[in-house]
């Protein structure tokens, strides 16, 4: 763990009053390594270690702590600042609330749409699912199977219709059947596919969703920064959902994405079943990243 | 950027950063750069252009200079198994491979052994239809081993050259699911003892260091014989494959570069090394 590594690095600095620049530089090498191993993007690691350095150099080492523990405390505080607190799913004052789900291919969007529908149902809301992925083979069927399992209506116009038309149809269905939420499942796409990003911009422009949630795979590596930056620049994301957190990926992508978008992680996916959606707990995430 | 002027310390630092941002991982990046430094002083390299050339050939050696061809059966049916974590691109890659082998004159059968995920069978059926190959399926929720077994049996009986089995995505941390995969393999071996002739691990190139653990666990469980690195049409470089090559020696056989049927290429280490170094 980082704590153990810092203890080892600081073995020779027993009983010093303040953290010197040399001590801190040594500690930051360990922090940098730990964060890179946890898949935090290099640019974010640099910004983070610079912030820690600023707070740590000359900092008093409390009587009750070792120098390593002092650094860890500063690292944790700085991480808490970065990761932020838990954030709620927003609801619109004008029904139905529209949630737009976006992200890279295979990140877990369709499954997460199902999970969100269940979450909303359990919270007393009445969701409609919109099958806006007209590209992937059997994507519409996949959402329909989930909708059937949840007894949530799925609106589709087949795969020859425009996603904007499908989304509008879903909203009309919600309005006419007194449902108060619409979840738009969109096709996975690359952030560098300009044409596909335009499709999302059009969807946003016409539907004015209350939330635009980026669904990102917890095992994403350095690319997390590029992905998040582009999606945020194009759409102004409102939140993040980190999937496949039931694996053993450290999840540093969470830090990267949060850092470049400023958006809160609202949920984490912890399994393939529709119940497997949890609220995001910052300290659990921090412990996981720091090992 | 790295090929102009003299060799300086900052060049090695820049190189390490490029490797890190390519998901090479800190241990491997530091190792490769320190090796290069030793090489540079031993060979008395003076200009960065020669240095980068030297580095590129080191990478190519590590990635596997000679392409390892697909391993077919000596005679009769060849069986290929697709494995990997959720969403990595298994089903899509299977569709691409079906088209690829068919274009090479092979008769291909597909086995829809993902009996768990919503519309997984439907998804594979679309690919089978698209590429004009047969697909063997059971009902959703049925035993994946049974589907694999029936696919191999039917393919052999009908004179197919290749049977390819799609499996459900599974995290390597789920022991029971890894056991299920072992069982699928065993069941096919009842029909053809040497099956599967290839077990392809499908890795998403946007994955970070976790890809190394995935490779380790899948290899231990079902003896992965080849890696297919998908989604290289994005901005991710897949640098973690260097650590995988170093520790596990698994050959990379294909790469996925898009969502269409023809978006599959034979792995080319030189091109991969070029792209890694940006
Ligand atoms: N273990 C685990 N698997 C998940 C989780 N979320 C999704 N999955 C699985 O990940 C795979 C991909 O999920 P999908 O919902 O199809 O992903 P998608 O983003 O809609 O994919 P595209 O539409 O092709 O971009 C499926 O096998 C899901 O069951 C999760 O939190 N944990
Ligand atoms: N851009 C791009 N997308 C890809 C590539 N390979 C697969 N995909 C996409 O990735 C998503 C997931 O692909 P699948 O084939 O469903 O993945 P899978 O591993 O079978 O997923 P599960 O069975 O749910 O575990 C789909 O949207 C595919 O179109 C690739 O090389 N490039
Ligand atoms: Mg989907
Ligand atoms: Mg699949």
């Amino acid at each position: 763990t980082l704590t153990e590594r810092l203890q080892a690095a600081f073995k020779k600095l027993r009983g010093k009053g303040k953290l010197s620049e040399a001590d801190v530089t040594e500690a930051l090498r360990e922090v940098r390594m730990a964060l890179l191993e946890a898949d935090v993007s290099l640019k974010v690691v640099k910004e983070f270690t610079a912030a820690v350095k600023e707070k740590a150099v000359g900092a008093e080492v409390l009587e009750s702590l070792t120098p390593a523990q002092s650094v860890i405390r500063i690292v944790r505080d700085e991480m808490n600042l970065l990761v932020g607190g838990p954030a709620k799913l927003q609801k619109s004052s004008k029904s139905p609330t529209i949630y737009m789900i976006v992200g890279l291919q295979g990140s877990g969007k369709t499954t997460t749409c199902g999970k969100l529908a269940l979450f909303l149902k359990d919270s007393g809301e009445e969701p409609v699912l919109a099958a806006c992925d007209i590209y992937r083979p059997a994507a519409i069927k996949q959402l329909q199977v989930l909708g059937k399992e949840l007894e949530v209506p799925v609106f589709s116009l087949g795969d020859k219709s425009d996603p904007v038309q499908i989304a509008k149809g879903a909203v009309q269905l919600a309005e006419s059947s007194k449902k108060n939420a619409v979840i738009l499942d969109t096709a996975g796409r690359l952030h560098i596919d300009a044409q596909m990003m335009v499709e999302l911009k059009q969807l946003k422009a016409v539907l004015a969703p209350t939330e635009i949630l980026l669904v990102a795979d917890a095992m994403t590596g350095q690319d997390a920064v590029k992905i998040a930056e582009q999606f945020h620049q194009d759409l102004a994301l409102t939140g993040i959902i980190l999937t496949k957190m039931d694996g053993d990926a450290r999840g540093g992508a969470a830090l990267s994405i949060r850092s470049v978008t400023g958006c809160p992680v609202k949920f984490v996916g912890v399994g393939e079943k529709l119940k497997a959606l949890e609220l995001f707990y910052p300290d659990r995430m921090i412990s996981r990243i720091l090992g | 950027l790295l090929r102009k002027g003299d060799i300086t310390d900052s060049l090695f630092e820049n190189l390490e950063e490029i490797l890190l941002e390519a998901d090479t991982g800190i241990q491997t990046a530091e190792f490769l750069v320190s090796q290069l430094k030793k090489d540079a002083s031993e060979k008395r390299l003076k200009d960065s252009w020669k240095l980068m050339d030297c580095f590129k050939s080191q990478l190519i050696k590590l990635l596997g200079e000679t392409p390892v061809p697909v391993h077919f059966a000596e005679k009769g049916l060849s069986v290929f198994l697709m494995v990997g974590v959720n969403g990595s691109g298994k089903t899509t890659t299977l569709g691409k491979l079906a088209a690829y082998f068919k274009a090479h004159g092979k008769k291909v059968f597909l086995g829809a052994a993902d009996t768990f995920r919503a519309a997984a069978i439907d998804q594979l059926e679309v690919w089978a239809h698209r590429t004009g190959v047969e697909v063997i399926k059971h009902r959703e929720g049925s035993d994946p081993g049974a589907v694999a077994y029936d696919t191999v049996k039917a393919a052999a009986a009908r004179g197919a050259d290749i049977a390819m089995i799609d499996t459900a995505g599974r995290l390597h941390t789920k022991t029971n699911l890894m056991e299920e995969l072992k069982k699928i393999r065993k069941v096919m071996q009842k029909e053809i003892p040497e099956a599967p002739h290839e077990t392809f691990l499908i890795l998403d190139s946007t994955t970070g260091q976790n890809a190394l653990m995935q490779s380790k666990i899948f290899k231990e469980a079902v003896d992965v014989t080849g890696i297919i690195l998908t989604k290289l049409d994005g901005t991710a470089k897949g640098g973690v494959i260097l650590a995988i090559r170093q520790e596990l020696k698994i050959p990379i056989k294909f790469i996925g570069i898009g969502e269409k049927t023809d978006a599959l290429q034979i792995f080319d280490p030189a091109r991969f090394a070029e792209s890694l170094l940006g």
Side-chain angles (χ1 to χ4, degrees), chain A residues 1-3 5-6 9 23-53 71-72 75 79 222 250 252 255-256 289-290, chain B residues 10 12-21 25-31 33 209:
Chain A
T1 67
L2 182 60
T3 312
R5 288 154 77 158
L6 287 176
D23 304 335
V24 173
T25 305
E26 183 64 22
L28 287 182
R29 278 233 321 268
E30 292 297 332
V31 173
R32 177 178 184 269
M33 240 202 195
L35 293 179
L36 287 171
E37 286 174 352
D39 284 326
V40 181
S41 299
L42 183 63
K43 146 171 162 175
V44 175
V45 172
K46 285 183 177 177
E47 290 168 357
F48 183 81
T49 49
V52 168
K53 180 169 190 181
V71 173
I72 283 283
V75 169
M79 252 199 202
Q222 295 288 312
R250 301 282 291 286
L255 221 65
S256 307
I289 292 176
L290 292 182
Chain B
S10 74
F12 289 110
E13 285 171 17
N14 283 335
L15 179 58
E16 184 174 295
E17 295 209 341
I18 287 176
L19 291 175
L20 286 173
E21 291 192 303
I26 182 91
Q27 319 272 12
T28 305
E30 287 185 347
F31 170 75
V33 171
Q209 297 310 298

Side-chain angles (χ1 to χ4, degrees), chain A residues 269-289:
Chain A
V270 292
E272 295 195 70
K273 302 229 161 76
L274 294 177
K275 282 184 180 295
L277 188 74
E278 288 179 358
L279 293 174
F280 174 67
Y281 294 105
D283 356 295
R284 278 194 213 163
M285 188 78 232
I286 291 172
S287 298
R288 181 174 179 137
I289 292 176

Side-chain angles (χ1 to χ4, degrees), chain A residues 69-146:
Chain A
Q69 286 168 335
S70 277
V71 173
I72 283 283
R73 171 170 292 197
I74 295 170
V75 169
R76 272 193 167 267
D77 290 347
E78 205 52 39
M79 252 199 202
N80 268 303
L81 277 180
L82 177 51
V83 174
K88 296 196 155 200
L89 199 61
Q90 299 298 315
K91 188 170 169 177
S92 170
S93 51
K94 175 176 181 301
S95 181
T97 303
I98 302 177
Y99 302 102
M100 187 166 138
I101 308 303
V102 304
L104 250 59
Q105 291 91 344
S107 62
K109 296 175 295 300
T110 305
T111 309
T112 302
C113 284
K115 293 178 181 181
L116 271 175
L118 179 58
F119 175 83
L120 288 172
K121 259 186 95 177
D122 288 347
S123 320
E125 310 298 340
E126 303 212 69
V128 167
L129 287 161
C132 299
D133 180 353
I134 57 167
Y135 310 97
R136 169 173 154 153
I140 296 171
K141 177 92 197 282
Q142 184 183 2
L143 196 65
Q144 288 170 331
V145 170
L146 299 184

Side-chain angles (χ1 to χ4, degrees), chain B residues 8-186:
Chain B
T8 59
D9 270 345
S10 74
L11 182 146
F12 289 110
E13 285 171 17
N14 283 335
L15 179 58
E16 184 174 295
E17 295 209 341
I18 287 176
L19 291 175
L20 286 173
E21 291 192 303
D23 279 316
T24 302
I26 182 91
Q27 319 272 12
T28 305
E30 287 185 347
F31 170 75
L32 289 173
V33 171
S34 72
Q35 285 285 75
L36 186 66
K37 277 186 179 159
K38 277 213 339 272
D39 259 3
S41 71
E42 279 172 17
K43 296 197 177 108
R44 312 194 178 210
L45 295 176
K46 283 284 177 281
D47 80 72
S48 55
W49 203 86
K50 285 217 176 64
L51 181 76
M52 290 317 294
D53 240 29
C54 169
F55 189 55
K56 202 178 145 201
S57 29
Q58 299 284 33
L59 289 183
I60 293 172
K61 270 210 197 67
L62 181 53
L63 292 165
E65 267 175 306
T66 340
V68 179
V70 173
H71 176 237
F72 291 96
E74 292 274 339
K75 56 178 168 64
L77 182 71
S78 296
V79 180
F80 303 151
L81 183 66
M82 313 292 283
V83 304
V85 303
N86 309 73
S88 61
K90 297 175 293 299
T91 306
T92 305
T93 304
L94 202 49
K96 295 175 185 177
L97 283 172
Y100 175 83
F101 289 125
K102 188 164 180 225
H104 283 84
K106 308 279 188 192
K107 181 170 179 186
V108 177
F109 267 56
L110 300 182
D114 178 355
T115 56
F116 169 75
R117 206 208 68 213
I121 297 170
D122 299 78
Q123 185 185 4
L124 190 66
E125 282 190 291
V126 172
W127 279 104
H129 182 78
R130 229 179 235 189
T131 54
V133 304
E134 289 267 0
V135 57
I136 303 296
K137 56 176 180 153
H138 291 185
R139 322 190 49 147
E140 201 171 293
S142 56
D143 174 37
V147 180
Y149 182 81
D150 284 356
T151 303
V152 171
K153 218 154 164 27
R158 312 234 321 251
D161 301 300
I162 303 174
M164 297 202 282
I165 314 293
D166 190 18
T167 64
R170 68 203 66 221
L171 295 181
H172 50 292
T173 47
K174 313 236 157 142
T175 332
N176 58 327
L177 296 183
M178 297 310 287
E179 286 304 310
E180 174 184 89
L181 209 51
K182 289 183 195 173
K183 189 161 151 280
I184 291 173
R185 221 164 149 251
K186 281 215 187 76

